[in-house]
Every structure is written in structure tokens, then in C-alpha cells.
Amino acid sequence: MRRLPALLLILALAQAALFAAVREQDGRPVYFLDGKPFFVYSATFTYWDYPPDLWPDLLVRLKGLGFNTLQIPAAPAGGTGLLELLRLVRRLNLHVWIEGGSDAPELEPFRGARGGPILDDLTGHAATWFPAEDATAGQQRFLHATDFTSLRRLLEGQSKRRDFPPLLSAFDAGWPAAGDLHPRPSEPSNHLLAFRETLLAGAKVLNCPALVEGRSAPEHEPALALTGAGRPQAPVFGRHGAIIRQFGSLLATLEPLDAATARRSLSLVRQPGDKPSPTLRLGMLVSHDPRGPAFVSALNYSDDRALHGTLTLPSPRTGRPVLLRNVVLPPREALLIPLNLPLAAPEVCPTCAAFAPHERLVSATAELIAMAYENGVLGMEFIAPSEGELVLELARRPRGPVIAGARLRDFEFDDKTHLFRVRIPAGPAPDFRSRVGIGVELPESSVFLKTPPRLVLGSTARVTATFSSEELATRARLLPPPGWPVRSESRSATETDYLLDVPADAVAGDTVTLAVEADGRIAQSASLPLAPPWTVRIEPEESLHPRPGEEFPLRPYLATLPLAVGRTYTIRLRNGYDEIRTLVVAAAGEGLRFSTLRQEVSIGANLEREVSLTVSAAARRPGLYRWTLEITDGTRRTQTTLALAALAPDEPLAYEYDVDRDGFPDLVLENQRLRAVFSPHLGGRALEFLLKDRRANAFAPRGTLDTGSPLEGRIVGPGRLELSGGGLVRLVSLGAADDFLAIEQTGGAAEWQVLSPLRGQPQESRLSILSPEGQVELQRKPFSTFYRIRFPASGPRRAHFSLLGPG
């Protein structure tokens, strides 16, 4: 198996030791942020490769997966938008790691202030590990324990350094693209096992480069499409992120148990004397304190065999062997088993300060991903592929009920050892989430929050807290997100209304936590999503088709219509408020006729209403018509830009439109059957050659007919484009009734390259290339067909590209 060596990458970032620094703790380097150990879990965000209007949604999606940091590669020449990105990052309480650093003065407001998003001191060996390409096209799973030998050696070498914790700057467990249109689909279990191997090898800074698909060709399959839709491996990133979110501060300080000790003291067998399974890998993360917390990592690399039995491990408190019985590990699964976690430690449970120092989680044979204590109830969330057991050491028998998997459960409590035991029910596939709630005590005081289901941007939200006593009400306060104004109004002696001003520039889709604090402790909290005042969905809309089965909607909205008829739009309006609202919808556009110019629409709380609007060309002249849809509610106003491409039946249409949303106009040719798009800025690259009724794109939008240098582009007639530059002149034409695209070129390279997602299968639409002067060669790949057209060194270069339906 081929492995790439570690790469040395020096990140020369400015120093800000007060806020972010590497410190030595117990003889090991630990990364600190604002005085606390920090596990950097980051995602590469090549912002210039994504449309800016998608940045908020993509960042919210990454934050939802648990990423706390973005790794931003060095921008290409002329790249803009970094300041706007940093403003978004700060509003989302994320951080950034800028590759190569930046001394630009405009970054100082983000770098210098407490809470600024730019992480400093990320200096060290940047290790890059990618899995090898495998020749077996049908193989889905390739990771086994031996595949990580080089990764372990890499991180073990870094762990000997005194100046920085082990760092992986580019890590992925997907298949390489190997020159194909897109990589083979990633097997989610590969990512799960690979993630756990990095933890087990001691990584404290982990960056994942293949997270968001952009306009550029990905080397590995991104977990999120450009629209934000998740692929099958995305939940694995989220599962890992949940662990980092809850225990990142703790994991940043733990170290792997040395390999020799792990082999001697860790085992999982059904019966004494059984040999360990060759598909099982066990390891342990331990504290420098011999009585400190620990985690056991168990990985099952078998494709079809579950492993179960008794897990033997050294006690974190005594060092003597401890037995955890009935541990079950399904095929291609992993468990990170918590041990000896002090409940009152803030790095274990920030809301559990009410517990005594000796109260602890002894063990759980499921994966703990969240824990909180409110109003006397200790709530825990687990990943439980199979039934497990939770063992706690508590000061006294729980006084309330125990609910596990939404059902009341029996539990055991030993009055001598103070050990509490309850079964953790297996969670339902595919995410295996299971919850346990323990009524530890009947609280002398309690707080209950009544909140709206969501917080509307730019509004004043009312949050009501009900207290168990008048004294508690006077000592309590609401903790909003930083910088959010809040004021209180007494409703009664034991009820308080908190009026919270939600910033209009907060990021829709984000989630914020509101908490009531009393006597220095969190008494009750609630996590609420942020929503815009209203949302608009408009149909129809045209899309770019980057690969089969995926569509990227065009913005501004584009739709086509025959010149002699109108186009009816369906406008779906959703009210984000918890009360009825009346919206005014108005349409305007030069050269267009609208069925109605202004409508008032009353919409119930959190409900959706449909509005129909028919648009037609007033003068019945072919062309591209732009218009706006304005929605107002009092002083609030939004405008949506749309466009209509009006086609005459006997004439093709050519127009400019930024189809790929990169900020540069593209050139579009269109008739009733076909649409072709070319980008002068991207070297004349063909972004799409679409058979409309089949929604079949014959040109991959990456590299097809690309000259390698930006060109000048212009419309030279109905259905005719010209691309020129560097001694090259390319004419592209499409007739009104043609089922082919004609291209003629003088100058430039004597070879054209076309990458098509169509592979010539019987059920697919068909691309054929006819060139009187050239020789057409093709090579079929798993997800595409690669065409090469070779021309003589001199003379005309012409080709017809025909696109027909299957048959």
C-alpha cells in the first residue's frame, strides 16, 4: 500500500499568548485557548471556491457537525472575501487557522481582541496522511489496523516534541479521485475507524480537507455537497465532533497508553484462554494523574463478524485489572469507552458543579457523547450500537426515576460501595443514539424555561422562567449569547419574563444556548435555532448539473419560457414568527408583464402559503429579462432577483449569465432542446451541455475544453459565441433546431479534451463527437468518459458534439 510521507509546513502566525498558546502540562505540550486546553477539530474551507451567498449555510452545517475551527488555505492571487468570512466566523463563535499566516493590517481587529477567531501559535510539523489508491474498483472498504502503521509512527515522532502537540493538517479516509470525474463513494466505516486511530495515536490538532465540495475537482469525496446536503460519511464527522464538543478540553490533555503496556493489559475475549481476534484493535488514552480519567478505544475491523465478550483493562484508579462484561462491538464499528470521569469536573460536564468531588462515572460500555445536569436530572446521550451498562459512583441512591430509551428502567444501587448500575438500551440504526436520564435528587429549588421554538432574527424574543421560590427568582439571571441585550420584567413573585433582542445580523440556521444561572450554577438551559423572519422558495428554477443525480441551483433564479406564452411561478412563503403576519409581495421588471404587481398575504404562525405569479414578455422579443420580487413586512424588506430567458421557436438565444456563481459572467447558448455554457474566465471551459428534457449534462464542469488561460468572450450573433486570446479564436454555435453543438477554432493547442459524466450505458443519454479533421479517442472510467480530439498541427479544427436521449 502506498503511503505519502509527512509534509513539513511552517505556519508563521502572529503570537497572541494571552488567548492562544502552547504550554507544557505534565511534561507534554498542550494547546490552550483562553486559558483552557483546546482540541483543534478543523475543516478546510476554501472560501473562494464557494459562492459567497452559501458561506453562512455551509459554516452552520460545519458547526453542526462539531467543527470548532476552519483551516483556510492561502488564497489565489486576487482572492477576496476573507474579511467577510472572518465576520461570519466570529458571529458563529468559530475559529480559523490561516495557512501560512497573514500580517495584513485589516486582520488585526480579528486577531487582537479577546474572542477573536484567528488561532495563533499553530506552528509545527503538519502531517498529511491519505489512504492509498486501490486497483479493485468494486472494493468499498480498505482500512485495516495495519494501514495505520505509518500514521502511528508519524504521530509518535511528533509526540516527542516539546513545542507543539501532534498535528494532522490534512487527513481523509476516502478514495482518491485518480483523474476521474469524482472519487468513488467513501465507506462511512473507513472514516469512523480512521478517526479513532488518530485519537489513539495521540493527535490533538486534526484537520479534515475533504468536507465541502467546491467548483474545483476534489481529490477525495467531500462529505458535504456544495448545496450543503450530506453524503453518507457526514454523520461520522458529526459523531466525532460530538465527542470533541463534550470532551475536547479533556482529550487535549490525555495521552495514549504505550503500545507494550496496552498489549499486556487490554483484551476482549468471550472465555478465558481465547485468543484475541486479529480484527480487533484496543488502545487507551490516559491522564498523567494515575487516578485521572481515561478512555478505552475499541475498533473492530472485521467486515462481517461482531466481537463480544469481557473487556479487561487496567483501572485508572488502582492500576489493577478491571473487567467490563458483555461488551459488544458490531462489524466495522468503534467504541470510545469512558472511565473514571469526575462528574463535577468542568471539562467533563460544565453543568455538573453540584456533584461532590468523589462522584464519578466509573464506566460505560457505550460511547458517551453528551452530559448535562439540570433540575436534579443527570442526562446522558450515548452512541450504543448494542446494549451496554452504565456504572456511576454517587453519594446516595437516586431519589427520582431513571429513564433510558424513553422508558422507565430498573437500576441497582449498592449502599456499601455507592455504585449505581443501569442498562443502556441499544440505539436505533443508523446513528445508534440512546439517552439515559437519572433523577439524582429532588432539588430544593428548580427553574423551568418556557421559550419560543426558534429565535427570529431582528426580533425581541420573550423567554419566561418559572422559579420554585421567590428567593431563587431574585438571585437568578438569564445568560444570553455574548453581546445580546436582555432585560427582565417580573410577571409574578416566582415568574420572570426575559426580553431578548436577537441581532438582525446573527446567522440563520445557527443554534444558540440560553441558560438561567442561579448561585453560580446553571439551573436550566435551552438550545434554540435562529430563523429569518420569513423564507422564500421559488419554482421553477434552473440548475447546473455538476454530476449525475446532483443539481446546483442558479442564482439569481433563472427560468426559460417559449416567447408566445407566459411562465407561472409558485412562490412559497414561510412565516418564521409565532404569530400571524401579513407580507406584501410585489413584482417589477422592465419589458415584462405580470399577472399581478402586488399581493398581500396573511400567513399563520410558522406556516407556509403559496402565491402564484405569471410572467410574460410584453413585446414578445427574445432575450434575457431580469426582474425582482420584493417582500415587505412593515419596515423589513427583502429583494430576490430573477431572470427569464425568452426563446423564439425559430431562433437560438445567446446571453451572459454567471452560471457557476464565481463572480464572472459566463456565456450561454440555448434552443428549445439544448443549453450550453462556457466560461471565458476559466479558459473557455464548457461548464454544461444539457439535454433539457432529460436533465442530462454531457460536459463535466471541470476541465472540459479548457485552454488553461482566461479568454475574452462575446456574443457575435443569435446562437453564436466567440472566445479569443493568446492567438486562439474559438467560435461556438447552436442552431434553432439543432441537436448538436458546433465548435470551430484557429490557433491554440492541437488537442481538445472533454470529460463527460455519460458513460454510454443503454439507459443513458448519448454524447457523440464528429470531427472531420481530428481523431477522436476515448477512455472509459468508473464515473466518466474521457475524450481526446487530436488535430493536425495546422489547419482548421472543427467538431460537432451531438447529445441525444437513450435508445
Side-chain angles (χ1 to χ4, degrees), residues 456-467:
V456 178
L457 304 184
S459 71
T460 299
R462 183 178 297 271
V463 176
T464 302
T466 303
F467 301 92

Side-chain angles (χ1 to χ4, degrees), residues 466-714:
T466 303
F467 301 92
S468 57
S469 68
E470 183 177 350
E471 293 76 15
L472 181 63
T474 60
R475 301 195 306 269
R477 60 172 181 157
L478 183 73
L479 300 179
W484 288 28
V486 61
R487 57 193 183 277
S488 61
E489 295 179 354
S490 177
R491 177 177 286 195
S492 69
T494 58
E495 278 192 318
T496 302
D497 282 346
Y498 296 101
L499 303 180
L500 182 68
D501 293 334
V502 184
D505 64 348
V507 183
D510 191 19
T511 299
V512 299
T513 298
L514 306 179
V516 173
E517 180 192 60
D519 301 326
R521 297 177 180 176
I522 301 300
Q524 179 73 304
S525 64
S527 294
L528 301 174
L530 300 179
W534 60 79
T535 57
V536 184
R537 292 187 298 133
I538 302 174
E539 295 178 353
E541 63 176 8
E542 297 291 336
S543 301
L544 189 66
H545 300 74
R547 64 162 107 171
E550 291 190 5
E551 297 188 5
F552 178 52
L554 304 188
R555 294 291 181 270
Y557 287 83
L558 175 68
T560 60
L561 81 160
L563 190 58
V565 299
R567 190 77 196 229
T568 299
Y569 287 86
T570 299
I571 303 164
R572 294 183 173 89
L573 301 170
R574 175 171 289 277
N575 175 19
Y577 287 95
D578 292 318
E579 59 186 17
I580 191 169
R581 307 291 286 199
T582 299
L583 304 181
V584 177
V585 181
E590 187 176 350
L592 294 173
R593 182 184 297 115
F594 301 93
S595 57
T596 178
L597 294 177
R598 187 178 185 277
Q599 301 181 63
E600 289 191 1
V601 185
S602 295
I603 310 174
N606 196 33
L607 293 179
E608 186 176 82
R609 283 279 306 274
E610 288 188 2
V611 176
S612 293
L613 180 66
T614 301
V615 186
S616 59
R620 296 194 176 182
R621 182 174 61 252
L624 185 71
Y625 294 86
R626 297 184 182 270
W627 60 287
T628 59
L629 186 72
E630 186 177 82
I631 301 171
T632 56
D633 174 18
T635 59
R636 295 192 179 190
R637 182 186 310 268
T638 62
Q639 273 196 347
T640 302
T641 304
L642 301 95
L644 268 176
L647 297 172
D650 56 352
E651 184 177 295
L653 183 64
Y655 56 93
E656 287 189 351
Y657 208 86
D658 185 6
V659 172
D660 60 355
R661 295 160 68 177
D662 65 352
F664 296 92
D666 304 309
L667 298 177
V668 183
L669 288 178
E670 191 164 0
N671 64 17
Q672 302 290 344
R673 299 183 65 254
L674 301 175
R675 180 170 69 226
V677 183
F678 293 83
S679 172
H681 172 69
L682 296 177
R685 178 186 306 178
L687 301 179
E688 187 171 63
F689 182 33
L690 185 72
L691 184 61
K692 293 182 181 180
D693 61 350
R694 303 287 304 183
R695 304 181 79 83
N697 180 20
F699 288 167
R702 299 182 177 112
T704 296
L705 297 171
D706 190 350
T707 66
S709 301
L711 302 176
E712 296 291 329
R714 63 192 183 103

Side-chain angles (χ1 to χ4, degrees), residues 50 305 587 696 760:
Y50 317 133
R305 181 187 173 194

Side-chain angles (χ1 to χ4, degrees), residues 41 43 56-70 92-94 211 224 228 234-243 245 369 433 508-511:
Y41 183 43
D57 291 342
L58 293 175
L59 293 180
V60 165
R61 191 80 166 86
L62 291 174
K63 182 180 178 182
L65 290 176
F67 289 96
N68 53 40
T69 304
L70 304 179
L92 288 167
N93 197 30
L94 294 171
L211 259 297
L224 302 177
V236 177
F237 288 88
R239 176 173 167 180
H240 193 68
I243 293 174
R245 186 186 292 118
I369 61 172
R433 299 221 170 188
D510 191 19
T511 299

Side-chain angles (χ1 to χ4, degrees), residues 128 151 178 219 371 431 459 569 645 752 793:
T128 303
L151 176 67
E219 183 165 346
M371 187 187 330
D431 58 4
S459 71
Y569 287 86
W752 296 355

